[in-house]
Amino acid sequence: MHIVVCTKYTPDSEAKMSVDEEGNISWGDSPLIINPWDEYSVEEALLLRDQHGGTVTVLSVGPEAALEALKHAVAMGADEAVRVWDEACAGSDTLATSYVLAKAVEKMGDVDLVLCGKSTIDAQTWQTGVALATRLGWPSLMYTINLVELRSEERSITVERLLEEGRQVVEAPLPAVLGTTKGINEPRYTSFIGIRKAAQMEYPLWTLEDIGAEREKVGPQGSGVRWPEVFEPPAREGEAEIIEAETIEEKARILTEMLLAEKVI
Amino acid sequence: MDFGWTEEQRLWRRAVRDFAQNEIAPRVREIDEEEFIPREIVAGMADVGLLAPTVGEEYGGAGADWMMATIAAEELGRADISLAVPVLYLVEAAWGFIFYRYGSSGLKQEYLPRVTRGEAFLGIATTEPGGGSDILGACRTRGQRDGDRWVFNGEKVYISGVRESLDWGGIHLMLARTDPDEDAGHRAFTFFALPLKGTGGVIPTYFDDMGRMGISTGGFALDEVRLPLEHQVGELNKGFYHAMEGFSAARTLIGATCVGASEAALAMGMDQIKLREAFGRPIASFEGVQFPLANLYTDLEGVRLSTYKAAWLMDQMYRHGAATHHDIALAAAMAKLKAPRLGFSIMNEVADWHGAMAYTKECPIEMGIRGIRSYSIGAEGTPNVMRMIIARELLGKDFLPTLYTNKS
Ligand SMILES: Cc1cc2nc3c(=O)[nH]c(=O)nc-3n(C[C@H](O)[C@H](O)[C@H](O)COP(=O)(O)OP(=O)(O)OC[C@H]3O[C@@H](n4cnc5c(N)ncnc54)[C@H](O)[C@@H]3O)c2cc1C
């Protein structure tokens, strides 16, 4: 089994975002971390590897800072890590990023399964995984909450997807792209031995040429999304009301009436 | 001179902080009240590599160097200011290393993999009812050879981890007199690996501690306790040297743990003084509040650096042969002298900033004050003993007070 995990670096989840006059986004001096949702993918990949054998490769499209995400995944236990970057990739949207990811996965050649997190905590588009599956022409198994069974001999997989209305069990042939979601597992912490490996390992850098990607399909010119204006959302206004009553039951009754009146419930 | 961290050190600090802040910090009050460290925390520590990481990989350790061990101690102190979890960590990291270095291979195979998995405890037992500072003079525990057995009689007190060892299994490195000749000086004592659980003739006792409630302090009497020869740790009658080596390691890690707990206390204090207002302004804006903060922070940075230097010297010695046991004893004693006392002062000041709330259990600072006092009173050596070591290194051993006591 060759399992690839796509991962991205993001600012720490406690970082505060700000936007300046020119529309530049800043996350202050927040430390960079692996996108927290990707930790579930790395964990699931490690569990699968331990069960079925094989290798786990983590893949990230990004500048040098992307090494933070790769190192974290290696420190968790991933075997290999690849970074793809070219200055031309800066400003890519999910359309362009998924193109680069697909090219990198195709270059690897022998991939059985690609795992992605459900979204990134900074951009929150929820699109990259689906886009990657479409580009590769592989089944897309997004929002997987439970990996029921992987049959490596038969080259097929059964997963349980978390949908708004409930759960759905689906079966798909391999190779496939699987999007994990919170609850699928409990990601492990990085370990001393893993960190030693992560700190000493070489992280190969693949260029656009290496993966055979066309320049016009990456960066802003390869992107479908434009950002005409970026601004800080206006501060939220609202009123707080404290419900006064003798008993907790009475308070609950008043609250329910108010919520019904406002048509919230 | 380089004050930067290597990539491995940076990632390790982040890893330990991540684990400790998520899994330990929210449970410190519970640990203090329930008086034990939950098993899942110990298991988690094992997974991260926080149990006796200084032991070699062949026994389940990580072969961690002392700088890495020190970083972990600091982060655990930051997460658990009651110091229970840090004590578990540092006792095993320091004395596990001594056992790894000097223990017999059969016994190491039996215990170290269990210690690093969190399924056995490893501790140190030198102190006796007659005293802890005069470690040799007070040592009445006798070890005598009887054929293929060592036989022990005596008593050890104020020993960390007695309950843990009895519950989980494990060993305490115990110092015993093995040469009855009073003129043998410090070459009359040997270390032994004593399993408290399941060993006949071991009679445990417990003390009701002031703080660091999550880890037990106890003692045990030894009544004709018999152990196979392979339980000897290190050379016969060289126990004093092995003890000094272990103390240097433990004291360095204590320095780091107290630094971490102090940093956590100061951070807590700074949040408080920025928020709390009196006389129409935040109390942080008063000179009477911010100047002590500036002083304490400066002192803390000094202690922090001297702790790192002690760790660095240990790595110089163990990895590069470029420092001596004397260099290390001096550096570790300075860190151990300063860090717990400073931590105690910082916590007292931070308590003042919190006002009455500090005197309640709503505020964690009281756990810190109770916990850190163990190290400023003297677990792993009292402040005066640290001063004696520092003076010995400065003046030479001709001026050791014990020399005069023994002569008279
Ligand atoms: C919480 C806790 C955990 C402990 N855990 C362990 C453990 O796991 N294993 C273990 O072996 N021990 C342990 N100890 C014991 C510790 O090592 C001793 O408390 C310490 O060595 C001091 O010994 P003592 O308590 O007998 O005090 P004493 O040696 O009686 O000292 C009393 C006072 O006299 C002072 N004093 C002594 N000699 C001199 C001198 N020459 N000049 C000036 N002043 C002097 C000391 O500094 C001290 O202030 C623990 C102690 C505590 C508090």
Side-chain angles (χ1 to χ4, degrees), chain B residues 351 354-363 365-366:
Chain B
H354 281 82
M357 210 231 290
Y359 202 64
T360 71
K361 292 192 171 164
E362 214 178 304
C363 180
I365 201 70
E366 57 87 29

Side-chain angles (χ1 to χ4, degrees), chain A residues 32 68 71 189-190 192 196, chain B residues 7 10 14 23 57 62:
Chain A
L32 299 172
E68 284 297 330
K71 283 177 183 170
Y189 287 94
T190 56
F192 193 104
R196 179 178 290 156
Chain B
E7 190 58 3
R10 184 183 71 85
R14 180 188 279 190
E23 308 296 331
E57 286 182 51

Side-chain angles (χ1 to χ4, degrees), chain B residues 321-383:
Chain B
T324 67
H325 284 290
H326 287 283
D327 300 328
I328 286 162
L330 174 62
M334 292 193 293
K336 171 70 165 68
L337 172 62
K338 285 288 175 188
R341 285 278 154 136
L342 177 62
F344 186 60
S345 307
I346 286 175
M347 288 173 185
N348 270 327
E349 189 70 29
V350 169
D352 285 352
W353 297 342
H354 281 82
M357 210 231 290
Y359 202 64
T360 71
K361 292 192 171 164
E362 214 178 304
C363 180
I365 201 70
E366 57 87 29
M367 289 189 288
I369 292 173
R370 286 188 282 115
I372 209 158
R373 199 70 180 94
S374 66
Y375 283 133
S376 63
I377 282 180
E380 313 256 10
T382 69

